[in-house]
Amino acid sequence: MTGSVHSWDISTGVDGPGTRFVVFTAGCPLRCLYCHNPDTWQQRRGTPATVDELVARAARYRRFIEVAGGGVTVSGGEPLQQPAFTGEFLRRCREMGLHTALDTSGFLGHRATDAMLADADLVLLDIKSWDPQIYRRVTGNDLAPTLRFARRLAELERPTWVRFVLVPGLTDREENVDGLAAFVATLPNVEHVDVLPYHRMAEGKYTKLGLRYPLPGVEPPDAALLERVHAQFRAHEVPSR
């Protein structure tokens, strides 16, 4: 089975627990204003790679990532844009005894079969905003599919980390954060929320691709804003970090 892959990497503490072999698939239906991987948007720009090739590559690092308490993560782009490829890779890696994680926006959650999700030991679910209007402004698409997918993960009891990018002047409104915290509090499978501070490290990629950077002049959140947001999650008894 062949998929379109942007790249692969070894990462620690970003794409799931421990040190991980991370596959970045090519293609994504969202156009997030703060996207730091605009080079993964088009599936046609990826490099063909077979599941066998990627499993063999991951196997080279098996001992290293096991000792480091890690595993493999399929990220993107959006892995569920290539569901058969993603599902087969997760299955094969889990058969090897490796911890598996799926990093997704949930927008294409209907493409994930129950069998695929059973092969994901962890789901990293990016919820860009609770407010549907802000979500549309951030991504260009609807929020509802992601919320449906989040509820389905809870029904299936799949361990999940929710990830929320905090962008000053965009996703930081108190009512937006409160709404998300209240929703996550209803999902017993969510272990915690990762509050990810917006950064501008991808500006160079946009320039190289001939694209206009969508958030010129927006600065990362300061310590006071981060603490306020974490306090809002604590108020709903939702662990955040």
Side-chain angles (χ1 to χ4, degrees):
M1 184 175 294
T2 301
S4 179
V5 172
H6 173 267
S7 58
W8 65 270
D9 200 0
I10 300 293
S11 75
T12 301
V14 178
D15 301 289
T19 299
R20 309 191 70 80
F21 178 84
V22 185
V23 175
F24 297 92
T25 59
C28 183
L30 306 185
R31 292 295 180 266
C32 298
L33 296 179
Y34 51 71
C35 180
H36 59 274
N37 288 321
D39 44 343
T40 66
W41 287 346
Q42 283 84 27
Q43 189 169 329
R44 58 184 171 78
R45 292 190 175 179
T47 300
T50 67
V51 170
D52 286 345
E53 290 169 345
L54 291 174
V55 168
R57 192 176 292 275
R60 298 178 197 173
Y61 298 93
R62 179 178 180 178
R63 179 61 179 161
F64 174 63
I65 60 181
E66 284 180 333
V67 169
V72 299
T73 299
V74 188
S75 186
E78 172 51 67
L80 296 183
Q81 190 156 307
Q82 303 179 63
F85 175 75
T86 295
E88 180 67 8
F89 179 69
L90 290 172
R91 184 185 68 80
R92 293 276 300 280
C93 287
R94 202 157 188 261
E95 284 180 350
M96 266 202 298
L98 293 174
H99 180 276
T100 56
L102 171 67
D103 180 9
T104 175
S105 71
F107 182 72
L108 299 178
H110 62 283
R111 295 189 178 186
T113 65
D114 287 357
M116 177 201 293
L117 296 176
D119 285 325
D121 294 307
L122 175 68
V123 177
L124 307 175
L125 179 61
D126 298 313
I127 302 183
K128 320 288 184 174
S129 169
W130 170 253
D131 183 293
Q133 292 184 341
I134 296 175
Y135 190 93
R136 179 167 287 281
R137 182 182 169 198
V138 170
T139 70
N141 278 289
D142 294 330
L143 170 63
T146 292
L147 300 186
R148 284 197 297 269
F149 185 61
R151 294 186 185 101
R152 181 178 163 209
L153 291 174
E155 291 169 1
L156 294 173
E157 300 181 341
R158 301 314 300 153
T160 299
W161 296 358
V162 168
R163 309 211 290 186
F164 170 67
V165 179
L166 180 60
V167 186
L170 185 60
T171 65
D172 62 338
R173 296 178 186 173
E174 290 191 30
E175 59 271 25
N176 188 44
V177 177
D178 260 341
L180 178 58
F183 174 68
V184 173
T186 69
L187 307 175
N189 62 312
V190 174
E191 298 177 0
H192 65 261
V193 173
D194 283 318
V195 178
L196 306 177
Y198 161 77
H199 61 73
R200 301 174 61 176
M201 290 186 285
E203 282 190 84
K205 287 186 179 180
Y206 283 81
T207 300
K208 187 177 293 187
L209 292 169
L211 300 172
R212 180 186 64 84
Y213 188 66
L215 297 174
V218 176
E219 296 295 331
D222 59 25
L225 177 54
L226 282 165
E227 174 51 33
R228 191 212 82 197
V229 169
H230 284 293
Q232 288 181 264
F233 282 107
R234 288 196 298 270
H236 289 273
E237 300 183 346
V238 174
S240 65
R241 63 180 192 179

